[in-house]
Amino acid sequence: MNEKLVFSVILFFFLAGCRSELADRMYSTANSGALSQETICYGVLRAKDSTPIHAPKVSDSNYLTVKEVLEEGIIVKKGDNVLTMDDSQFQKDLETAKNDLDTARAELESEKFDLENNRVMLDLDIKRKELALAKAKLSVVDNSVLISKVDLEKAKLEVKMAELELNQANESRKDFNKQYDAGLKMKTLRVETVEKKIKNQQENITNSMIKAPREGVVFKPFVRLNNETGRVEKGKVISPGDKLLDILNLGSYEGVIYVTQSEVRFLNQGDSLSVSLTAFPEKKFKAVVLSKAQYPQTRNDRLGRNDPEGYLKEYEVIIEIGENDPALKPGMSFKAEITSIIATECVYIPNIAIGNDKKGSFVISEKGKKYLTLGKSSLNFTEVKSGLSKGEKIQLDNQTGSGTAAQ
């Protein structure tokens, strides 16, 4: 009796469970209309019209130190000083180069003096050799009865010796010309090299004082300075080429957001979105997508993060805010709610209802198993091009389904 009772209880709960499973099975219907994707992103405001200021390129230095910089928000005119670098090392190098130039010029003048003396001496030696040759030729008189044959041969030998000495003097003069050009060129090159150093240091000193390229408002962006993220401040060590400041026109704004690889495919130029400021969440602004980057960038490259999130790749998306409100300020953070239209006037179903087998994608409808031709998809829904009609009931808890939708 007890065994029958136990069996009856087990059977009761089994049947109750089956009825509960059938009752709890979830169904949906094939909807129609526009298939859209809602994406929520966070970004930062910036002035649409801005001119960046970068650290100057300088000679013989890989690092610069900020001596003075204007505070953020100050209005400047074109040509006003906005930032000054420490130029003390450039001043020292300039004085050293000037002293080197005096020495180089003195060495050049000394070299010219010595070379001119040598040239005069060689020219005089040639003149002497020419006179000696002329004198030797006067002593040679063929068939003369006034001198003996021995004296005649001796005179001819003296002529040959004088010619040889003259040739040697001329060759020495030619060699001197080469030495003169080489020696003078070396000293002149030394002077030109030092003059170039002076010019470079003078340019470094001039470039150490950065002037506003236009009228506007000073803004300090959060950027990478000397391979570290931060804002430019007094005493900050930076590298040539680093972005330091922006000069802004506060008439219009745009925002920059960074979207993951899984979401960027839903965003297109012209998509509308709603923007709310973190500081004033009650304020809503309409905006549109202006552009999106073709290639992603890691957070490590963008922010210098070396943690696991630094390897996350994101796409930069620029949005335009159509309104100009006093609450809008550069650098303010915001939340953007983007509505992307993926397909218009279509039938779409939840991704979790889609199964896949060797024949293709299918759903379990109230009429049985149906194979589908799928179109575009969002994160949660997929367009059905054929195989299912609007309003048909489909089973959501598809145990054989993979939930994989077409792209």
Side-chain angles (χ1 to χ4, degrees):
M1 185 69 180
N2 291 335
E3 291 180 358
K4 290 183 179 180
L5 179 61
V6 171
F7 177 77
S8 298
V9 172
I10 293 174
L11 180 62
F12 172 78
F13 281 107
F14 174 77
L15 293 175
C18 290
R19 285 195 297 271
S20 177
E21 179 183 354
L22 292 173
D24 293 340
R25 179 166 289 174
M26 298 178 65
Y27 289 88
S28 180
T29 56
N31 298 313
S32 64
L35 175 58
S36 62
Q37 173 66 42
E38 300 292 333
T39 306
I40 296 178
C41 304
Y42 297 87
V44 178
L45 285 179
R46 67 186 186 190
K48 188 175 180 181
D49 181 13
S50 67
T51 302
I53 294 178
H54 294 82
K57 302 288 186 181
V58 294
S59 303
D60 307 322
S61 180
N62 295 323
Y63 303 99
L64 297 165
T65 303
V66 178
K67 185 177 181 180
E68 298 290 344
V69 59
L70 291 182
E71 293 299 322
E72 189 172 77
I74 292 179
I75 300 175
V76 295
K77 296 180 179 179
K78 182 178 180 179
D80 288 349
N81 294 334
V82 294
L83 188 144
T84 304
M85 305 293 178
D86 183 3
D87 65 352
S88 57
Q89 187 59 50
F90 300 144
Q91 296 285 2
K92 291 178 182 179
D93 292 342
L94 177 61
E95 289 303 315
T96 300
K98 287 181 177 180
N99 293 333
D100 291 343
L101 180 60
D102 291 339
T103 301
R105 284 175 173 172
E107 291 177 351
L108 175 61
E109 292 303 318
S110 177
E111 183 72 10
K112 285 181 178 180
F113 181 80
D114 292 341
L115 289 172
E116 287 298 328
N117 282 342
N118 290 338
R119 178 161 60 184
V120 170
M121 295 299 293
L122 289 171
D123 289 342
L124 289 175
D125 187 52
I126 290 174
K127 292 295 184 182
R128 286 195 296 268
K129 295 297 191 294
E130 289 175 345
L131 291 173
L133 176 60
K135 183 179 179 181
K137 287 182 177 180
L138 291 175
S139 300
V140 178
V141 181
D142 285 331
N143 301 320
S144 176
V145 295
L146 300 176
I147 59 174
S148 64
K149 290 184 177 181
V150 174
D151 291 333
L152 180 60
E153 292 298 327
K154 183 179 178 180
K156 290 181 177 180
L157 182 60
E158 289 177 353
V159 171
K160 290 183 179 180
M161 290 296 294
E163 289 176 343
L164 183 60
E165 290 178 355
L166 178 59
N167 289 336
Q168 188 175 0
N170 285 324
E171 289 298 325
S172 297
R173 183 65 174 79
K174 292 179 181 178
D175 291 339
F176 170 79
N177 287 338
K178 297 178 182 178
Q179 295 173 3
Y180 181 91
D181 292 340
L184 206 59
K185 184 176 182 180
M186 183 180 300
K187 296 299 180 181
T188 303
L189 182 61
R190 167 67 176 160
V191 171
E192 292 174 350
T193 301
V194 179
E195 287 176 340
K196 185 177 180 180
K197 285 185 177 180
I198 290 177
K199 182 180 178 181
N200 288 341
Q201 296 307 325
Q202 289 172 336
E203 289 178 352
N204 288 345
I205 293 170
T206 300
N207 292 336
S208 294
M209 187 172 292
I210 301 178
K211 300 182 181 298
R214 55 173 288 180
E215 182 179 359
V217 179
V218 175
F219 176 68
K220 297 179 180 179
F222 190 78
V223 291
R224 298 192 72 173
L225 300 170
N226 191 25
N227 296 321
E228 293 182 356
T229 54
R231 290 183 172 87
V232 62
E233 299 292 349
K234 181 178 179 179
K236 189 79 172 179
V237 177
I238 61 176
S239 299
D242 284 348
K243 182 178 178 179
L244 305 177
L245 300 169
D246 282 316
I247 305 299
L248 311 177
N249 176 5
L250 302 183
S252 59
Y253 290 88
E254 63 184 15
V256 55
I257 57 179
Y258 292 90
V259 182
T260 63
Q261 296 183 92
S262 61
E263 295 177 323
V264 72
R265 63 189 177 94
F266 301 124
L267 273 62
N268 297 291
Q269 184 177 2
D271 284 348
S272 61
L273 60 149
S274 174
V275 171
S276 59
L277 302 178
T278 304
F280 307 101
E282 71 281 359
K283 285 183 173 289
K284 300 286 185 179
F285 300 92
K286 294 181 180 181
V288 295
V289 175
L290 279 182
S291 64
K292 63 179 180 180
Q294 292 185 344
Y295 303 100
Q297 188 179 27
T298 65
R299 288 187 177 179
N300 183 27
D301 293 335
R302 182 165 59 89
L303 302 174
R305 295 185 59 166
N306 294 318
D307 57 2
E309 286 192 14
Y311 297 98
L312 179 64
K313 291 185 177 182
E314 297 171 314
Y315 288 80
E316 183 184 77
V317 176
I318 306 300
I319 65 173
E320 181 181 30
I321 299 175
E323 304 170 61
N324 186 13
D325 190 283
L328 298 174
K329 302 293 181 184
M332 295 184 73
S333 60
F334 62 83
K335 180 176 78 172
E337 300 177 43
I338 307 172
T339 301
S340 302
I341 303 300
I342 297 172
T344 58
E345 298 302 324
C346 67
V347 175
Y348 59 91
I349 58 175
N351 291 341
I352 59 173
I354 302 172
N356 288 280
D357 59 19
K358 294 181 179 179
K359 293 183 179 180
S361 300
F362 66 88
V363 293
I364 304 299
S365 75
E366 56 189 348
K367 298 179 181 179
K369 189 174 186 179
K370 283 193 171 185
Y371 286 93
L372 312 174
T373 300
L374 303 177
K376 297 179 180 179
S377 67
S378 67
L379 291 178
N380 299 313
F381 295 91
T382 296
E383 174 189 11
V384 178
K385 290 190 172 182
S386 65
L388 199 65
S389 300
K390 170 187 174 182
E392 281 194 59
K393 185 179 290 187
I394 56 174
Q395 183 177 311
L396 290 181
D397 55 337
N398 187 351
Q399 299 300 320
T400 60
S402 64
T404 302
Q407 299 301 314

